[in-house]
Amino acid sequence: MELAYLFHRGDVVPQDMLEACKFYRMAAELGHVNSQFRMGTFLLQGDPVPRDIKQAIHWFCKAGEGGSGEAQFILAGNYEFGMLGTQINSKEALSRYRKAAELGIPEAQHFIGEFLLKNQDCQQARIEGLAWLHLASANGYKTEDPLLTTIESILPPLQGSPGEMRAARELAATLEIRADRKPSDTQMP
């Protein structure tokens, strides 16, 4: 893995993305989640290796199984919209979004929060939805929609109560999904 980073960055040895990819693949085959995610990204983008959607999905699945929230989020979008050779599967998409949210991906947390608020009628689902939106905001999620920038602005249209808001904050605290996740685990150097 370290050799892959060295060739990828090019600050110690000359940058050579094909050589980096070779070492990422070796690490990916040994189960290194970050390398699995990178292989999926390389194969999806077609750089530095030829584009191979089937293999990209394979590596994203491996990375997701290994705990990569970013991989789960990519797979969720594919299942939601039927992209990259996957069939539309709303149940699988929602499951993957939830996994990504639980792994600390703010966009997935926001998606799950909105989904629960829009598609569930019971108070407990609204509270959970508010909790996910709170976590997304705490983890840096920004939205263009001024109505969704804070949880407090969401409550009036939903006729939420201060009790629901308090319960949502308590639930958010118990979910143990914090803003201090390590994005460097799967982000490119």
Side-chain angles (χ1 to χ4, degrees):
M1 180 61 201
E2 297 300 320
L3 285 173
Y5 278 135
L6 291 175
F7 283 109
H8 191 136
R9 286 193 309 256
D11 53 357
V12 176
V13 297
Q15 186 177 36
D16 183 338
M17 291 305 292
L18 284 174
E19 198 67 14
C21 191
K22 179 177 90 174
F23 288 110
Y24 281 130
R25 182 178 295 277
M26 292 166 116
E29 289 170 353
L30 293 172
H32 189 267
V33 174
N34 182 26
S35 296
Q36 293 167 341
F37 181 80
R38 287 173 192 261
M39 287 306 303
T41 302
F42 291 152
L43 290 159
L44 179 62
Q45 294 172 346
D47 184 31
V49 293
R51 186 174 176 151
D52 186 333
I53 301 301
K54 187 175 179 181
Q55 279 297 302
I57 295 296
H58 165 78
W59 287 116
F60 285 136
C61 286
K62 289 282 195 187
E65 291 165 10
S68 169
E70 289 87 351
Q72 291 288 4
F73 189 71
I74 289 170
L75 291 167
N78 286 312
Y79 283 110
E80 181 181 8
F81 299 108
M83 301 181 321
L84 302 180
T86 60
Q87 298 293 319
I88 291 176
N89 183 333
S90 299
K91 187 174 181 178
E92 183 68 18
L94 186 59
S95 171
R96 300 253 183 201
Y97 278 126
R98 183 173 284 280
K99 288 176 186 176
E102 290 169 354
L103 289 166
I105 304 302
E107 296 83 0
Q109 294 167 341
H110 184 83
F111 176 88
I112 291 293
E114 278 192 336
F115 178 84
L116 289 169
L117 289 174
K118 291 177 182 175
N119 298 300
Q120 305 296 323
D121 292 330
C122 72
Q123 181 182 19
Q124 185 58 38
R126 283 199 321 260
I127 290 170
E128 185 181 352
L130 291 170
W132 282 114
L133 289 174
H134 178 74
L135 284 170
S137 177
N139 284 337
Y141 183 83
K142 303 283 187 249
T143 180
E144 299 292 319
D145 185 345
L147 293 176
L148 298 179
T149 55
T150 63
I151 293 175
E152 288 79 5
S153 68
I154 295 171
L155 286 173
L158 294 173
Q159 300 172 344
S161 69
E164 284 181 331
M165 191 62 206
R166 189 172 36 260
R169 284 195 179 108
E170 290 170 5
L171 180 59
T174 63
L175 289 173
E176 295 182 23
I177 300 168
R178 302 181 309 261
D180 65 353
R181 70 182 179 91
K182 298 176 184 166
S184 60
D185 288 347
T186 53
Q187 289 181 349
M188 301 300 219

